[in-house]
Amino acid sequence: MELRKRLGLELARMMNNNLKREHPLRQLFWESTLRCNVSCRHCGSDCRASAVHPDMPREDFFRVLDGIAARLDPHKVFVIVSGGEPLMREDLELCGRGIYERGFPWGMVTNGLALTPERFQSLKAAGLCSVAVSLDGLQESHDWLRRHPQSFRMASRALDLLVADGEIKFDAVTCVNQKNYGQLAEIRDFLISKGVRDWRLFPIFPVGRAANDPMLQVSNEQFRELLQFIKQTRREGKIHANYSCEGFVGDYEGEVRDWVFRCAAGVTVGSVLIDGSISACTSIRSNYAQGNIYEDDFLEVWENRFQTFRDRSWMKKDKCADCKYWRYCEGNGMHLRTDDGRLLVCHLERINK
């Protein structure tokens, strides 16, 4: 690794250590529902149209926000409503308005299937300020992954609504798999033609329904080519592409995304899960919950019980034990760890094989 890049990694490491000491809450995910209107092949939550676990009452989440706002500046904590599919909540506008009126900016992650023009305007009126729309290929490959015949059409329409609006910050998010891997350039050109400016790409990690489906996983060679594709797309400058935050990518750091890798789970990112569990990034499907809002004060848990996330020395075992890049990677993203701490995916290993 060249000296310039290593110096950049050292600077990022110092900044990350400061963040771990201070752990300012900057993003709060709310897993508001497990209901969903599609049945994606790769779903980590195993969501369904009629989820076994009921939606969390909005008043319960509002109590969490009230506790946070009493001690922190709510304008500095971005709330992301997730699921399941947030648009399955008939009261999503009431949820959003309650979040906004408490001083918190908020956004959502959606498949776009139910984002009609009318619903979009009502959500804007409720304070919506950011949206991530899943677009996982052109029509055949997207509908194959989402397992809904109208999914691509409606996701495309959702992007059109956001482009035409011009006020809401948004990006398109693509899960790269065997079905859409050969279409990346076409997907890029399609998004550019629609006026989409920001595009986030990542492979599907082997959790949930994706654990045993080879069609959902890219090979090591394809993974390297994906990083090269993002690097080249960024150089061309026609659309702002980013690799996701999920892992340390060695020599590609500083070239495939706007930041140097750090796992922000439990450092600046927290979450309230559907059952009230207090955790970090909602991509973490293993049991690393630190408390529960129905028994604990969220900020007390955030301040005092997140050492599993902030001191990751417990991860320095197995293939990580003697890795020379440990000081920058610290065991990869927390969502790639099993309940017993085993690492599912090493990005450096994939790059170098």
Side-chain angles (χ1 to χ4, degrees):
M1 183 177 290
E2 61 185 48
L3 179 60
R4 179 183 60 85
K5 189 160 289 186
R6 192 174 288 274
L7 288 173
L9 289 174
E10 285 294 339
L11 178 61
R13 176 175 174 268
M14 288 188 289
M15 293 174 63
N16 191 40
N17 285 339
N18 287 334
L19 279 174
K20 285 189 286 188
R21 282 190 293 270
E22 297 172 6
H23 48 266
L25 182 64
R26 290 290 177 258
Q27 284 187 318
L28 178 62
F29 283 87
W30 178 29
E31 189 179 53
S32 64
T33 182
L34 288 185
R35 292 183 294 143
C36 193
N37 47 12
V38 295
S39 182
C40 302
R41 295 176 187 273
H42 63 302
C43 184
S45 301
D46 196 25
C47 301
R48 50 185 67 89
S50 179
V52 173
H53 203 289
D55 296 353
M56 178 181 287
R58 61 181 182 273
E59 293 81 5
D60 294 357
F61 184 64
F62 290 166
R63 281 193 288 272
V64 173
L65 296 182
D66 289 337
I68 293 172
R71 285 172 279 177
L72 300 178
D73 181 354
H75 298 92
K76 295 182 179 180
V77 182
F78 195 93
V79 175
I80 302 170
V81 183
S82 68
E85 169 52 51
L87 291 170
M88 292 289 284
R89 289 194 65 131
E90 296 78 8
D91 66 343
L92 183 58
E93 286 83 351
L94 294 176
C95 295
R97 188 170 296 113
I99 295 168
Y100 182 75
E101 289 175 350
R102 286 167 169 79
F104 295 85
W106 73 279
M108 67 176 179
V109 182
T110 180
N111 58 40
L113 189 64
L115 191 62
T116 63
E118 297 76 20
R119 194 90 198 267
F120 176 59
Q121 291 303 321
S122 66
L123 289 168
K124 272 194 69 179
L128 177 69
C129 59
S130 85
V131 181
V133 178
S134 297
L135 195 287
D136 298 308
L138 301 181
Q139 183 164 1
E140 181 185 359
S141 55
H142 178 91
D143 289 349
W144 171 84
L145 187 67
R146 297 287 164 174
R147 295 201 284 204
H148 192 290
Q150 299 300 318
S151 184
F152 174 80
R153 184 176 70 84
M154 298 305 287
S156 180
R157 184 175 77 164
L159 291 172
D160 288 339
L161 287 171
L162 290 158
V163 170
D165 175 74
E167 296 180 356
I168 301 290
K169 182 176 176 58
F170 74 97
D171 64 355
V173 183
T174 298
C175 298
V176 181
N177 58 79
Q178 290 296 330
K179 198 79 170 176
N180 66 11
Y181 175 78
Q183 301 177 335
L184 292 179
E186 294 174 79
I187 300 168
R188 176 199 60 204
D189 295 344
F190 173 75
L191 292 173
I192 292 171
S193 73
K194 295 178 80 65
V196 175
R197 296 180 179 178
D198 294 285
W199 186 25
R200 204 160 12 121
L201 303 93
F202 51 89
I204 298 170
F205 54 94
V207 172
R209 295 176 186 166
N212 301 305
D213 189 342
M215 283 296 292
L216 299 179
Q217 306 301 320
V218 295
S219 68
N220 293 333
E221 180 181 4
Q222 289 171 328
F223 178 66
R224 291 191 295 270
E225 290 174 351
L226 169 62
L227 296 177
Q228 287 286 359
F229 172 80
I230 295 172
K231 180 179 175 180
Q232 181 60 34
T233 298
R234 287 170 66 88
R235 283 178 175 172
E236 292 170 359
K238 295 178 181 179
I239 189 170
H240 192 62
N242 271 299
Y243 181 64
S244 70
C245 61
E246 68 171 9
F248 179 71
V249 290
D251 284 336
Y252 287 99
E253 289 295 338
E255 298 182 332
V256 295
R257 54 189 165 207
D258 296 344
W259 61 92
V260 173
F261 171 72
R262 65 180 179 86
C263 181
V267 179
T268 60
V269 176
S271 69
V272 175
L273 303 184
I274 191 69
D275 63 352
S277 294
I278 299 170
S279 188
C281 169
T282 50
S283 291
I284 300 172
R285 305 318 306 179
S286 298
N287 185 16
Y288 289 103
Q290 304 298 304
N292 193 290
I293 65 167
Y294 296 112
E295 301 171 0
D296 307 297
D297 175 77
F298 179 91
L299 274 187
E300 187 279 328
V301 173
W302 177 258
E303 290 296 329
N304 301 304
R305 299 195 209 173
F306 270 76
Q307 289 312 304
T308 297
F309 297 89
R310 296 165 192 162
D311 178 1
R312 304 198 181 190
S313 56
W314 61 273
M315 293 184 184
K316 202 174 191 312
K317 60 182 181 179
D318 303 327
K319 64 181 68 177
C320 295
D322 300 313
C323 179
K324 64 181 180 179
Y325 291 110
W326 164 262
R327 64 192 289 109
Y328 310 127
C329 176
E330 292 193 322
N332 239 11
M334 278 289 291
H335 69 290
L336 298 173
R337 294 277 169 175
T338 61
D339 283 349
D340 60 3
R342 179 173 55 86
L343 180 63
L344 291 171
V345 177
C346 171
H347 288 64
L348 278 178
E349 193 174 64
R350 300 199 74 185
I351 291 169
N352 295 324
K353 273 190 175 179

